């Protein structure tokens, strides 16, 4: 996959293009990419995904603090790579780009710079200044500039249209299984191991404190989770707690993220780490004393091992 951060000298064979933020790259997005690849094969063309960085709301509403992303730029790039996309355009989203009308975007970007032969969009596609570029407008542009256009219907599961908004709600409530079902892959969190208070070590359950790699990355709801842990090319099983800390940290909503890696005792401070969430074990709760907490952690470990064995 070729990654482009500008369209200077952009070159693709009979480009079959789709546009969007693609946060999460969930099953609905994957449906679009599958259509993109099928059309490119039919037309002897190449697949092109046009997305942008940073997220538009970072530029258009810089004072807003509620933005939560399912995937960081790096995570999304890797998911596109796994999907077998030929060209990924990560266009710089700035105030000048935000001010483009849809007509200007189509003419200057899709037609003049990318030479689009076919455009594939989702059922709810809106783009350009004030989100004015709907499908009907695109159809008129396609006729004017001589490219084809394909619109896909929503992907519905159990009566709900899969969307990034729906998955965010599932994660925020701690419903990992539902989120993963809609993703089509496990929700992952990339971060760095930072120093904690080492309370878990004193109880026989040492934890690595995780600081997420992006301050906008969504953190699942409070509770205890069965997870897979990867760093230095090695994979481990573990259980993870998401809770609160009275001191400030850099994770979204100041949530603490502490993972107990099973059968492991190395010093990994400063290491880059990837957490894959498999299922929620229980809610966060307060215990009458340390012995009760230790007994519960033993049960949590057994629950996590059973979940991970069967998933």
């Amino acid at each position: 996959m070729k990654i482009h951060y500008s369209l200077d000298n952009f070159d693709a064979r009979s480009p079959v293009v789709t546009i969007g933020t693609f946060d999460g790259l969930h099953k609905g997005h994957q449906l679009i990419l599958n259509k993109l690849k099928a059309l490119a094969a039919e037309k002897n063309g190449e697949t092109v995904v046009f997305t942008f960085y940073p997220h538009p709301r970072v530029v258009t509403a810089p004072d807003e603090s509620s933005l939560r992303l399912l995937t960081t730029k790096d995570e999304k790039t890797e998911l596109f790579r796994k999907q077998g996309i030929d060209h990924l355009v990560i266009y710089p989203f700035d105030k000048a780009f935000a001010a483009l009308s849809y007509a200007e975007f189509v003419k200057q970007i899709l037609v003049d710079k990318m030479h689009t032969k076919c455009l594939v969009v989702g059922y709810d596609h809106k783009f350009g200044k004030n989100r004015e570029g709907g499908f009907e407008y695109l159809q008129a542009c396609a006729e004017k500039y001589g490219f084809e256009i394909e619109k896909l219907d929503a992907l519905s599961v159990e009566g709900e249209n899969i969307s990034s908004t729906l998955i965010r709600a599932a994660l925020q409530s701690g419903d990992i299984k539902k989120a993963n079902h809609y993703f089509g892959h496990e929700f992952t969190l990339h971060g760095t191991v930072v120093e904690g208070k080492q309370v878990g070590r004193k109880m026989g359950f040492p934890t690595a404190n995780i600081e997420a790699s992006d301050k906008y990355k969504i953190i699942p709801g409070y509770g205890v989770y069965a997870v897979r842990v990867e760093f230095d090319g090695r994979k481990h099983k573990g259980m993870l707690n998401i809770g609160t800390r009275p001191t400030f940290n850099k994770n979204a909503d100041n949530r603490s993220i502490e993972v107990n890696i099973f059968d492991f005792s190395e010093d990994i401070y400063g290491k880059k780490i990837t957490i894959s969430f498999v299922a929620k074990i229980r809610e966060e709760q307060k215990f009458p004393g340390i012995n009760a907490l230790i007994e519960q952690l033993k049960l949590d470990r057994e629950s996590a091992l059973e979940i991970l064995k069967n998933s």
Side-chain angles (χ1 to χ4, degrees), residues 28-101:
H29 295 143
Q30 292 163 34
L31 195 69
I32 294 173
L33 298 186
N34 288 339
K35 184 65 173 180
L36 196 75
K37 289 183 282 189
L39 287 169
E42 284 178 18
K43 302 174 185 301
N44 191 30
E46 293 182 316
T47 53
V48 183
V49 172
F50 183 97
T51 188
F52 19 77
Y53 183 81
H55 188 281
R57 278 170 56 190
V58 174
V59 175
T60 60
D63 296 328
E64 186 181 332
S65 60
S66 63
L67 177 64
R68 297 291 177 266
L69 298 177
L70 299 174
T71 41
T72 66
K73 177 169 69 73
D74 290 343
E75 290 167 350
K76 196 159 48 174
T77 298
E78 184 57 29
L79 289 170
F80 279 125
R81 193 186 309 278
K82 289 179 179 177
Q83 287 288 324
I85 298 304
D86 297 315
H87 298 268
L88 175 62
V89 179
I90 305 176
Y91 203 81
F93 195 99
D94 54 21
K95 290 183 178 180
F97 184 79
L100 283 179
S101 68

Side-chain angles (χ1 to χ4, degrees), residues 69-72 74-76 78-79 82 171 176 180 183 185-191 212-213 217-220 228 230 273-278:
L69 298 177
L70 299 174
T71 41
T72 66
D74 290 343
E75 290 167 350
K76 196 159 48 174
E78 184 57 29
L79 289 170
K82 289 179 179 177
L171 288 173
I176 296 296
N180 286 350
F183 273 128
H185 53 81
E186 291 175 352
F187 171 73
T188 58
L189 176 71
H190 291 76
S213 62
K217 176 76 175 187
I218 191 168
I219 307 299
R228 307 184 210 278
E230 183 174 357
I273 193 168
T274 301
I275 307 292
S276 298
F277 287 72
V278 179

Side-chain angles (χ1 to χ4, degrees), residues 42 45 49 55 88 91 102 137 156 201 217 235 244 297:
E42 284 178 18
V49 172
H55 188 281
L88 175 62
Y91 203 81
Y102 203 85
Y137 181 78
S156 179
R201 184 175 300 279
K217 176 76 175 187
K235 296 182 179 180
T244 57
L297 291 174

Side-chain angles (χ1 to χ4, degrees), residues 22-37 70-71 79-80 83 122-124 152-158 160-167 176-187:
F22 295 100
D23 188 25
L25 210 59
H26 55 65
K27 285 181 177 177
H29 295 143
Q30 292 163 34
L31 195 69
I32 294 173
L33 298 186
N34 288 339
K35 184 65 173 180
L36 196 75
K37 289 183 282 189
L70 299 174
T71 41
L79 289 170
F80 279 125
Q83 287 288 324
Y123 74 101
D124 58 349
L152 273 69
D153 293 331
L155 178 61
S156 179
V157 174
E158 298 166 355
E160 293 184 293
N161 291 344
I162 293 180
S163 68
S164 299
T165 300
L166 189 68
I167 297 172
I176 296 296
K177 287 189 173 181
K178 181 177 182 179
N180 286 350
H181 181 52
Y182 288 168
F183 273 128
H185 53 81
E186 291 175 352
F187 171 73

Side-chain angles (χ1 to χ4, degrees), residues 20 22 52 65 86 104 122 125 173 175 179 184 215 238 256 272 297:
F22 295 100
F52 19 77
S65 60
D86 297 315
E104 291 169 329
H125 178 82
S173 70
D175 194 344
K215 67 178 181 179
S256 68
K272 300 296 182 184
L297 291 174

Side-chain angles (χ1 to χ4, degrees), residues 205-249:
F205 289 89
T207 59
N209 288 263
I210 313 300
E211 186 175 285
S213 62
D214 189 314
K215 67 178 181 179
Y216 296 113
K217 176 76 175 187
I218 191 168
I219 307 299
Y222 299 147
V224 179
Y225 298 86
V227 297
R228 307 184 210 278
V229 184
E230 183 174 357
F231 56 89
D232 288 346
R234 294 179 288 167
K235 296 182 179 180
H236 304 267
K237 297 176 180 179
M239 61 182 183
L240 178 144
N241 183 78
I242 294 175
T244 57
R245 278 194 295 201
T247 53
F248 177 78
N249 67 60

Side-chain angles (χ1 to χ4, degrees), residues 96-306:
F97 184 79
L100 283 179
S101 68
Y102 203 85
E104 291 169 329
F105 173 77
V106 171
K107 178 66 167 63
Q108 295 175 21
I109 303 293
L110 292 183
V111 177
D112 292 346
K113 291 189 175 181
M114 298 180 69
H115 309 294
T116 299
K117 299 300 180 189
C118 183
L119 182 65
V120 180
V121 296
Y123 74 101
D124 58 349
H125 178 82
K126 294 284 185 182
F127 201 77
K129 186 178 180 181
N130 301 321
R131 294 176 62 81
E132 62 195 1
F135 183 72
E136 294 75 14
Y137 181 78
L138 268 179
Q139 281 182 309
C141 289
E143 292 176 12
K144 179 177 180 180
Y145 295 114
F147 59 84
E148 298 176 38
I149 184 168
E150 293 268 351
K151 179 184 179 183
L152 273 69
D153 293 331
L155 178 61
S156 179
V157 174
E158 298 166 355
E160 293 184 293
N161 291 344
I162 293 180
S163 68
S164 299
T165 300
L166 189 68
I167 297 172
R168 280 188 208 101
L171 288 173
Q172 287 169 333
S173 70
D175 194 344
I176 296 296
K177 287 189 173 181
K178 181 177 182 179
N180 286 350
H181 181 52
Y182 288 168
F183 273 128
H185 53 81
E186 291 175 352
F187 171 73
T188 58
L189 176 71
H190 291 76
T192 303
V193 179
V194 296
E195 194 161 348
K197 297 182 178 179
Q198 300 187 353
V199 175
R201 184 175 300 279
K202 297 172 185 175
M203 296 188 295
F205 289 89
T207 59
N209 288 263
I210 313 300
E211 186 175 285
S213 62
D214 189 314
K215 67 178 181 179
Y216 296 113
K217 176 76 175 187
I218 191 168
I219 307 299
Y222 299 147
V224 179
Y225 298 86
V227 297
R228 307 184 210 278
V229 184
E230 183 174 357
F231 56 89
D232 288 346
R234 294 179 288 167
K235 296 182 179 180
H236 304 267
K237 297 176 180 179
M239 61 182 183
L240 178 144
N241 183 78
I242 294 175
T244 57
R245 278 194 295 201
T247 53
F248 177 78
N249 67 60
K250 296 180 181 178
N251 294 322
D253 305 315
N254 296 333
R255 297 186 181 189
S256 68
I257 307 166
E258 300 175 82
V259 62
N260 172 235
I261 306 170
F262 298 155
D263 305 315
F264 184 84
S265 60
E266 295 176 28
D267 180 352
I268 55 172
Y269 288 136
K271 294 280 188 185
K272 300 296 182 184
I273 193 168
T274 301
I275 307 292
S276 298
F277 287 72
V278 179
K280 187 173 184 176
I281 299 172
R282 63 172 173 84
E283 297 292 339
E284 186 183 38
Q285 62 192 95
K286 187 174 182 178
F287 294 90
I290 191 167
N291 290 333
L293 173 56
I294 290 171
E295 290 306 309
Q296 182 60 56
L297 291 174
K298 290 176 182 177
L299 294 174
D300 293 341
R301 176 188 166 94
E302 294 307 311
S303 297
L305 286 169
E306 186 67 20

